[in-house]
Amino acid sequence: MNAPAGAGRQRYEIRVAEDPADREACFTVRKEVFVLEQGVPEDIEYDAHDAGAVHVLALRREDGLPLGTGRLLYGPAAAARNGGEPSVGSLGRLAVVEEARGLGVGAALVRAIEEAARERGLTGVDLHAQTHALGFYARLGYEAYGPEFPDAGMPHRAMRRPLRDGRGGGAAGDG
């Protein structure tokens, strides 16, 4: 998975983080967004799931600057977060640096994570969205379920999207 994307002058690529430098870039974005910007304690931002997760990375094409990241948990790690469903992956740690927001980076990262889930034979993707991001995920075909709950001191809701064969999963407006 190595897809060029972008809007206007800002062009970027999305790829699976395969080597230690890519993973470090993912963690740098997460620190900037979650720890420094949102005040999430660093000791809870990074967890044991990072080692076995699929991490995706958005990089600015012209200079390789990391713009965003996200991760996919699958198997027992995902089932522990989604109510015990082993065929559903868990999207998490989606972060886009401030300068790249509004350029489609977040949506491209979500689609790359969904593709990674399909490649692993998963039938859906679950996530825990900060409540201010519910509209973003809803536009990508995710539906909220269950009550609001706190995570890292911020209100969240669980959301899910079934995956079908093909890009985007078939919901209206997908791309």
Side-chain angles (χ1 to χ4, degrees), residues 74-97:
Y74 57 97
R81 293 182 58 85
N82 69 25
E85 296 185 46
S87 67
V88 176
S90 179
L91 183 158
R93 304 305 202 263
L94 188 75
V96 176
V97 298

Short mmCIF file of all heavy atoms in Angstrom, two decimals, residues 74-97:
data_model
loop_
_atom_site.label_atom_id
_atom_site.label_comp_id
_atom_site.label_asym_id
_atom_site.label_seq_id
_atom_site.Cartn_x
_atom_site.Cartn_y
_atom_site.Cartn_z
N TYR A 74 -5.85 -6.12 15.46
CA TYR A 74 -6.66 -7.23 14.98
C TYR A 74 -6.41 -8.43 15.88
O TYR A 74 -5.48 -8.42 16.70
CB TYR A 74 -6.39 -7.53 13.51
CG TYR A 74 -4.94 -7.83 13.18
CD1 TYR A 74 -4.49 -9.14 13.08
CD2 TYR A 74 -4.03 -6.80 12.99
CE1 TYR A 74 -3.17 -9.42 12.79
CE2 TYR A 74 -2.71 -7.07 12.69
CZ TYR A 74 -2.29 -8.38 12.60
OH TYR A 74 -0.97 -8.64 12.32
N GLY A 75 -7.24 -9.46 15.75
CA GLY A 75 -7.10 -10.63 16.61
C GLY A 75 -7.54 -10.31 18.03
O GLY A 75 -8.41 -9.46 18.26
N PRO A 76 -6.93 -10.98 19.02
CA PRO A 76 -7.34 -10.79 20.42
C PRO A 76 -7.25 -9.34 20.91
O PRO A 76 -8.09 -8.90 21.68
CB PRO A 76 -6.37 -11.69 21.20
CG PRO A 76 -5.95 -12.73 20.22
CD PRO A 76 -5.92 -12.04 18.88
N ALA A 77 -6.26 -8.58 20.43
CA ALA A 77 -6.12 -7.18 20.86
C ALA A 77 -7.35 -6.37 20.45
O ALA A 77 -7.83 -5.54 21.21
CB ALA A 77 -4.85 -6.57 20.28
N ALA A 78 -7.84 -6.60 19.25
CA ALA A 78 -9.04 -5.88 18.78
C ALA A 78 -10.28 -6.39 19.49
O ALA A 78 -11.14 -5.60 19.88
CB ALA A 78 -9.18 -6.02 17.27
N ALA A 79 -10.41 -7.70 19.64
CA ALA A 79 -11.59 -8.28 20.27
C ALA A 79 -11.77 -7.75 21.69
O ALA A 79 -12.90 -7.55 22.14
CB ALA A 79 -11.51 -9.80 20.26
N ALA A 80 -10.68 -7.48 22.37
CA ALA A 80 -10.76 -6.94 23.73
C ALA A 80 -11.35 -5.54 23.75
O ALA A 80 -11.89 -5.11 24.75
CB ALA A 80 -9.36 -6.92 24.36
N ARG A 81 -11.27 -4.82 22.63
CA ARG A 81 -11.79 -3.45 22.55
C ARG A 81 -13.17 -3.36 21.90
O ARG A 81 -13.83 -2.34 22.00
CB ARG A 81 -10.81 -2.57 21.75
CG ARG A 81 -9.49 -2.36 22.46
CD ARG A 81 -8.58 -1.46 21.68
NE ARG A 81 -9.12 -0.14 21.42
CZ ARG A 81 -9.07 0.89 22.24
NH1 ARG A 81 -8.50 0.76 23.41
NH2 ARG A 81 -9.58 2.06 21.88
N ASN A 82 -13.59 -4.41 21.18
CA ASN A 82 -14.82 -4.27 20.39
C ASN A 82 -15.94 -5.20 20.84
O ASN A 82 -16.84 -5.48 20.06
CB ASN A 82 -14.51 -4.49 18.90
CG ASN A 82 -14.14 -5.92 18.57
OD1 ASN A 82 -14.51 -6.84 19.27
ND2 ASN A 82 -13.40 -6.10 17.50
N GLY A 83 -15.88 -5.70 22.03
CA GLY A 83 -16.95 -6.56 22.52
C GLY A 83 -16.73 -8.03 22.21
O GLY A 83 -17.67 -8.81 22.25
N GLY A 84 -15.50 -8.42 21.87
CA GLY A 84 -15.18 -9.82 21.69
C GLY A 84 -15.38 -10.37 20.30
O GLY A 84 -15.46 -11.59 20.13
N GLU A 85 -15.45 -9.51 19.29
CA GLU A 85 -15.66 -9.98 17.92
C GLU A 85 -14.32 -10.11 17.18
O GLU A 85 -13.75 -9.11 16.76
CB GLU A 85 -16.60 -9.03 17.18
CG GLU A 85 -17.98 -8.99 17.80
CD GLU A 85 -18.94 -8.14 17.01
OE1 GLU A 85 -18.96 -8.27 15.77
OE2 GLU A 85 -19.66 -7.35 17.64
N PRO A 86 -13.84 -11.33 16.99
CA PRO A 86 -12.52 -11.52 16.39
C PRO A 86 -12.44 -11.13 14.91
O PRO A 86 -11.35 -10.91 14.39
CB PRO A 86 -12.24 -13.01 16.57
CG PRO A 86 -13.56 -13.64 16.77
CD PRO A 86 -14.45 -12.60 17.40
N SER A 87 -13.58 -11.01 14.23
CA SER A 87 -13.55 -10.66 12.80
C SER A 87 -13.60 -9.15 12.58
O SER A 87 -13.63 -8.69 11.44
CB SER A 87 -14.72 -11.32 12.07
OG SER A 87 -15.95 -10.75 12.51
N VAL A 88 -13.60 -8.36 13.67
CA VAL A 88 -13.66 -6.91 13.57
C VAL A 88 -12.37 -6.32 14.10
O VAL A 88 -11.95 -6.62 15.21
CB VAL A 88 -14.87 -6.36 14.35
CG1 VAL A 88 -14.90 -4.83 14.34
CG2 VAL A 88 -16.17 -6.92 13.77
N GLY A 89 -11.74 -5.48 13.28
CA GLY A 89 -10.51 -4.80 13.69
C GLY A 89 -10.83 -3.56 14.50
O GLY A 89 -11.97 -3.11 14.57
N SER A 90 -9.79 -3.00 15.11
CA SER A 90 -9.94 -1.80 15.91
C SER A 90 -9.01 -0.72 15.38
O SER A 90 -7.79 -0.86 15.42
CB SER A 90 -9.61 -2.11 17.38
OG SER A 90 -9.73 -0.94 18.16
N LEU A 91 -9.59 0.36 14.86
CA LEU A 91 -8.84 1.52 14.38
C LEU A 91 -8.59 2.42 15.58
O LEU A 91 -9.50 2.69 16.35
CB LEU A 91 -9.67 2.25 13.32
CG LEU A 91 -9.09 3.45 12.60
CD1 LEU A 91 -9.81 3.64 11.29
CD2 LEU A 91 -9.13 4.72 13.42
N GLY A 92 -7.37 2.89 15.70
CA GLY A 92 -7.07 3.78 16.81
C GLY A 92 -5.87 4.65 16.56
O GLY A 92 -5.18 4.51 15.54
N ARG A 93 -5.64 5.54 17.50
CA ARG A 93 -4.48 6.44 17.46
C ARG A 93 -4.38 7.22 16.16
O ARG A 93 -3.30 7.50 15.67
CB ARG A 93 -3.20 5.68 17.74
CG ARG A 93 -3.13 4.89 19.04
CD ARG A 93 -3.42 5.74 20.26
NE ARG A 93 -2.88 5.19 21.48
CZ ARG A 93 -3.57 4.46 22.36
NH1 ARG A 93 -4.85 4.17 22.12
NH2 ARG A 93 -3.00 4.02 23.46
N LEU A 94 -5.53 7.58 15.59
CA LEU A 94 -5.55 8.37 14.36
C LEU A 94 -5.21 9.81 14.72
O LEU A 94 -5.90 10.43 15.54
CB LEU A 94 -6.91 8.31 13.68
CG LEU A 94 -6.96 8.95 12.30
CD1 LEU A 94 -6.27 8.06 11.28
CD2 LEU A 94 -8.39 9.21 11.87
N ALA A 95 -4.16 10.33 14.13
CA ALA A 95 -3.69 11.68 14.45
C ALA A 95 -3.15 12.34 13.20
O ALA A 95 -2.43 11.72 12.42
CB ALA A 95 -2.59 11.61 15.52
N VAL A 96 -3.50 13.61 13.02
CA VAL A 96 -3.01 14.42 11.90
C VAL A 96 -2.46 15.71 12.49
O VAL A 96 -3.15 16.37 13.29
CB VAL A 96 -4.13 14.71 10.88
CG1 VAL A 96 -3.65 15.63 9.78
CG2 VAL A 96 -4.67 13.41 10.29
N VAL A 97 -1.24 16.07 12.11
CA VAL A 97 -0.64 17.31 12.63
C VAL A 97 -1.46 18.50 12.16
O VAL A 97 -2.10 18.47 11.11
CB VAL A 97 0.84 17.45 12.23
CG1 VAL A 97 1.67 16.31 12.82
CG2 VAL A 97 1.02 17.56 10.74
#
